[in-house]
Amino acid sequence: MTEAPQVIDLDHEAIKQGLREGSFLLVDVREPHEFAAGHIPGSVSHPLSVFDPSSLPEGKRIVFSCAAGVRSVRAIEFAQAAGRNIREHYKGGFKEWAAAGESVE
């Protein structure tokens, strides 16, 4: 039996604070066309369709983000299965960010 992934949901304010402080790397796991159409400033693209946990930087706090918190949980599952200690994601994702009127790139 596979152990359930450990997932920590971060909210909009936690994401804003972390980006402002530079305390984590926000990894957007949406597909390239979604990222190109608009993304959270400071996030980096790492599409789930070609996801490779070993290409994520070591020694940095990583937080995953997607459109609405589903693919980011999958990314956590993949990362943990590969032995990475990554547990955090932006539960509301890009949709919540944009709906809140935050800036997008």
Side-chain angles (χ1 to χ4, degrees), residues 2-104:
T2 304
E3 188 176 316
Q6 297 177 345
V7 177
I8 298 171
D9 297 333
L10 298 181
D11 65 14
H12 179 241
E13 288 305 315
I15 295 300
K16 281 180 66 172
Q17 180 179 348
L19 288 171
R20 187 171 48 250
E21 296 172 350
S23 62
F24 58 69
L25 175 64
L26 187 64
V27 176
D28 189 324
V29 298
R30 296 176 302 147
E31 293 308 304
H33 69 278
E34 294 172 285
F35 187 83
H39 57 273
I40 298 171
S43 63
V44 298
S45 179
H46 198 94
L48 193 61
S49 62
V50 293
F51 191 75
D52 178 6
S54 68
S55 69
L56 296 168
E58 296 280 350
K60 284 192 169 199
R61 179 180 168 204
I62 293 174
V63 175
F64 291 124
S65 177
C66 62
V70 176
R71 286 176 282 181
S72 55
V73 170
R74 291 291 295 148
I76 289 172
E77 292 170 352
F78 292 150
Q80 289 178 7
R84 299 294 302 268
N85 185 23
I86 301 171
R87 300 183 307 266
E88 298 172 298
H89 80 122
Y90 178 17
K91 186 176 182 177
F94 182 76
K95 288 181 179 180
E96 180 181 85
W97 182 268
E102 299 291 349
S103 64
V104 299

